[in-house]
Amino acid sequence: MSMELDQYCPECGEDRTFYRAASTTLHLGEKIKWHCPECSYGFVRIGDNGTAVDSSADA
């Protein structure tokens, strides 16, 4: 279980280390909330290995 995730932050405009804010298990897999410590941006990933739903992905 990783507590950190390197990802591009659209609010900061550069790659940042996001921190796990919360997680729970759903029927789709694990739901994890990630937050950037530098700004208020956060996103959610749901599923096995974050592949089912990722709110940070462009539509």
Side-chain angles (χ1 to χ4, degrees), residues 5-27:
L5 174 71
D6 292 327
Q7 171 118 348
Y8 178 79
C9 178
E11 293 289 321
C12 296
E14 59 187 80
D15 286 342
R16 295 282 188 196
T17 299
F18 282 72
Y19 293 93
R20 181 187 293 242
S23 66
T24 190
T25 302
L26 306 171
H27 66 281

